[in-house]
């Protein structure tokens, strides 16, 4: 089964030879980039999560809704004909863009996640039996782990994991050892979203095919950066998302070899995927419609088509060369900052720079929050790769990821902001908790007669500060005064789950009282310590029923915390509040039982 070895994507040398892009002109195509954030020009380095959209894409989607909107494949009227024509033209564009042999092999999905689930639920359920194995790697996104886990649980099959080196490269000798008669599929990322590693998928596919094993490639992070030719690659399935390649959300692509797709049962049932329906017998539509049940994301497919045409105009070679320059510059600048450690140093990478700050130890969340105040958007956390973070023994990293519209000047702005953050953390002693319980910890006493009274003071203090920068600083300073929490109290039981950083809370009934709550708390992130200090001010030392009666959500709104914190942080804060309310509920219940 080994296939011809044509070069399936851009070799590095060619990328270097490409003429430089006129990035400053190209940026004019992206209206969103012109804005300021926190008074600074936006530097958008969260492109691995989603890319910004050029005007051509926005216009294509708008034009569809203004001029052609109708459902596809179903009517004889003019608008439906136009909508169908444009939707199918998008399929033709995708086919050409990824080098598939025929249109029947291009299935539109909602994104990479749905494409992988489709293969797991259709191909996987039809072909995997008890005792069989599916091979994934240690650097997969959760989207390329969980669908296979679910299948394995259902079928009593096993997931096998290819290990990686410390630099974030797959260990191919170990991969080879995992392949055998029980292996039913290999599912591997083309490019790691957390590290940027470009995997040697030609070799991976070739080795699997020698055993007759089909291969699915998660191309979510490759399609936006590398020239693709799925036919030359000879992969069996290839998945990617529209929104990561300058197109709209809600659209993605599953490429599958026609011979697999023909044999696979449909996944979802509904309109469009059938040829005929009766209560006795239903027959399936031909490919690719067999896998496109219901009304598809028509406008998004049209937007994706515009995005791919835009990329053709820019030129993938020029794009790759430009991103390579950005990565080289960012790597050099970040390497120059003492105390910063780059995670993921593979020989071949796309524009992803993941790092942690060891000296002084700074939480990824704090770095991301501080960069945001400088108008710089990066991603922090586990990047939907928890097993990969575990492999490196890290809760998460900071990730800067680049796209065609980013500039070398932006890389410099980012590196300078990062250097300042690291420098300002240096020399500031970090309270990490008392080492033993021999020192009796001090629980914070009530900061006012009631939570309402404290809240009024907080509102007054926040109102005196004009912008979010000052409020952020105020929170950080509150956090610096958080009473230390003994190390023994930081256990699994006191860990608050659902937070992006490590958070511990320990609450108790204040000795000598019937229903007064007091608590200690700590986090590795300064901003979270600030939030914890705020909650302590409000609730520690107050009666349980007063804690329960207090409208914390209105206060959060009034302080602007609901709009200025990211969704992830809001969720983390909600978990902490939930923890306090739960304890207050128990305490109030006990007090009622024993008046
Ligand atoms: N696979 C990888 C490597 C990714 O980076 C992502 C998204 O970050 C996904 C899969 C999931 O993509 P989507 O959320 O668009 O379905």
């Amino acid at each position: 089964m080994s296939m011809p070895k044509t070069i399936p994507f851009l070799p590095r040398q060619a990328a270097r030879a490409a003429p430089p892009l006129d990035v400053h002109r190209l940026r004019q195509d992206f209206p969103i980039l012109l804005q300021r954030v926190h008074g600074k020009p936006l530097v958008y380095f969260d492109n691995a999560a989603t890319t910004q959209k050029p005007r051509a894409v926005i216009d294509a989607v708008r034009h569809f809704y203004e001029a052609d909107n109708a459902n596809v494949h179903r009517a004889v009227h003019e608008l439906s004909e136009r909508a169908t024509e444009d939707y199918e033209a998008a399929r033709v564009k995708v086919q050409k863009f990824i080098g598939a042999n025929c249109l029947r092999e291009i299935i539109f999905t909602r994104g990479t996640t749905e494409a992988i689930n489709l293969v797991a639920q259709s191909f996987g359920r039809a072909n995997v039996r008890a005792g069989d194995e599916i091979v994934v790697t240690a650097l997969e996104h959760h989207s390329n782990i969980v669908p296979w886990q679910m299948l394995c649980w259902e079928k009593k099959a096993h997931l096998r994991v290819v290990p990686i080196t410390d630099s974030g490269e797959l260990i191919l000798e170990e991969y080879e050892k995992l392949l055998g008669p029980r292996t039913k599929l290999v599912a591997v990322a083309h490019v790691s979203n957390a590290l940027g590693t470009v995997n040697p998928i030609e070799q991976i596919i070739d080795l699997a095919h020698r055993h007759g094993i089909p291969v699915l490639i998660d191309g979510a992070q490759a399609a936006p950066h590398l020239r693709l030719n799925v036919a030359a690659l000879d992969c069996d399935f290839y998945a990617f998302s529209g929104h990561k390649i300058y197109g709209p959300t809600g659209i993605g692509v599953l490429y599958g070899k026609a011979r697999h797709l023909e044999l696979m049962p449909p996944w979802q049932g509904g309109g469009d995927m059938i040829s005929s329906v009766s209560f006795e017998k239903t027959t399936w539509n031909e490919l690719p419609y067999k896998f496109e049940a219901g009304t598809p994301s028509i406008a998004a497919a049209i937007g994706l088509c515009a995005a791919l045409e835009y990329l053709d105009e820019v030129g993938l070679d020029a794009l790759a060369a430009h991103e390579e320059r950005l990565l080289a510059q960012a790597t050099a600048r970040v390497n120059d900052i003492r105390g910063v450690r780059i995670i993921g140093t593979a020989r071949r990478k796309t524009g992803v720079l993941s790092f942690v700050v060891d000296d002084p130890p700074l939480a990824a969340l704090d770095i991301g929050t501080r960069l945001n105040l400088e108008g710089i958007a990066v991603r922090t956390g586990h990047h939907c790769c928890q097993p990969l973070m575990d492999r490196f023994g890290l809760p998460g990293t900071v990730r800067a990821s680049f796209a065609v519209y980013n500039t070398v000047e932006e890389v410099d702005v980012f590196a300078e902001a990062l250097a300042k953050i690291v420098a300002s953390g240096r020399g500031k002693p970090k309270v990490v908790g008392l080492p033993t319980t021999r020192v009796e910890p001090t629980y914070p006493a009530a900061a006012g007669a009631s939570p309402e009274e404290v809240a009024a003071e907080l509102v007054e203090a926040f109102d005196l500060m004009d912008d979010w920068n000052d409020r952020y600083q105020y929170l950080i300073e509150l956090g610096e005064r958080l009473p230390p929490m003994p190390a023994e109290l930081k256990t699994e039981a006191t860990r608050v789950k659902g937070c992006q950083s490590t958070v511990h809370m320990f609450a108790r009934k204040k000795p000598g009282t019937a229903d007064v709550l007091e608590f200690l708390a700590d986090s590795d992130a300064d901003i979270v310590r600030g939030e914890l200090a705020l909650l302590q001010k409000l609730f520690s030392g107050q009666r349980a029923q007063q804690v329960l009666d207090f409208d914390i959500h209105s206060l959060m709104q009034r302080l602007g915390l609901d709009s200025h914190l990211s969704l992830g942080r809001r969720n983390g804060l909600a978990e902490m509040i939930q923890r306090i309310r739960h304890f207050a509920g128990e305490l109030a219940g006990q007090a009622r039982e024993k008046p």
Side-chain angles (χ1 to χ4, degrees), residues 48-49 111-114 116 141 143 189 191 193 218 220-221 241 243-244:
T112 307
T113 305
E114 190 174 75
I116 296 174
H141 187 280
S143 291
V191 170
N193 63 307
D218 170 353
Q221 297 295 340
S241 300
H243 69 99
K244 293 186 194 285

Side-chain angles (χ1 to χ4, degrees), residues 3-168:
M3 281 291 131
K5 289 277 127 240
T6 37
I7 295 168
F9 52 76
L10 186 72
R12 293 201 125 200
Q13 307 312 332
R16 286 211 187 90
L21 281 181
D22 184 351
V23 189
H24 294 280
R25 195 211 54 73
L26 180 143
R27 284 173 70 82
Q28 305 300 316
D29 297 337
F30 293 82
I32 203 168
L33 298 178
L34 302 175
Q35 68 187 284
R36 297 174 87 83
V37 169
H38 293 294
K40 311 273 168 59
L42 166 67
V43 174
Y44 186 78
F45 281 174
D46 194 17
N47 294 290
T50 199
T51 49
Q52 302 303 348
K53 320 305 172 201
R55 211 179 288 280
V57 169
I58 299 166
D59 287 349
V61 173
R62 187 187 319 109
H63 176 82
F64 172 71
Y65 283 123
E66 281 180 356
D68 300 331
N69 177 48
N71 212 328
V72 289
H73 303 146
R74 296 198 190 150
V76 290
H77 62 78
E78 171 70 18
L79 292 190
S80 177
E81 297 247 322
R82 278 192 236 149
T84 305
E85 223 169 78
D86 289 350
Y87 179 69
E88 291 304 329
R91 202 186 304 276
V92 174
K93 181 72 219 160
V94 170
Q95 182 210 345
K96 291 203 177 114
F97 191 83
I98 66 170
N101 283 326
C102 63
L103 286 171
R104 297 158 68 238
E105 298 182 319
I106 306 297
I107 296 157
F108 281 126
T109 63
R110 279 198 301 126
T112 307
T113 305
E114 190 174 75
I116 296 174
N117 275 279
L118 191 163
V119 179
Q121 292 299 310
S122 171
F123 177 90
R125 290 176 95 190
N127 290 290
V128 174
R129 306 266 169 277
D132 284 345
E133 295 177 356
I134 293 184
V135 172
V136 296
T137 82
L139 48 66
E140 299 308 314
H141 187 280
H142 296 165
S143 291
N144 201 25
I145 298 175
V146 183
W148 307 116
Q149 248 174 354
M150 289 162 69
L151 177 70
C152 287
W153 289 331
E154 181 188 321
K155 296 288 185 178
K156 299 192 168 47
H158 307 286
L159 211 54
R160 295 281 177 253
V161 183
V162 185
I164 56 170
T165 62
D166 289 343
S167 60

Side-chain angles (χ1 to χ4, degrees), residues 450-460 538 550 555 559:
S450 66
E452 283 77 9
E453 191 182 294
V454 181
E457 282 168 21
L458 283 169
V459 167
E460 211 177 294
L538 278 169
F550 182 72
L555 176 68
L559 297 181

Side-chain angles (χ1 to χ4, degrees), residues 55 81 89 141 210 293 304 391 393 472 474 487:
R55 211 179 288 280
E81 297 247 322
H141 187 280
R210 286 186 201 175
L304 173 61
R391 159 66 179 78
Y472 169 79
Y474 176 78

Side-chain angles (χ1 to χ4, degrees), residues 138 188 229 242 251 268 332 335 403 420 438 456 498 507 522:
V188 57
N229 187 323
I251 189 79
Q268 294 176 329
N335 262 333
K420 263 195 212 148
R438 261 172 269 144
D522 200 5

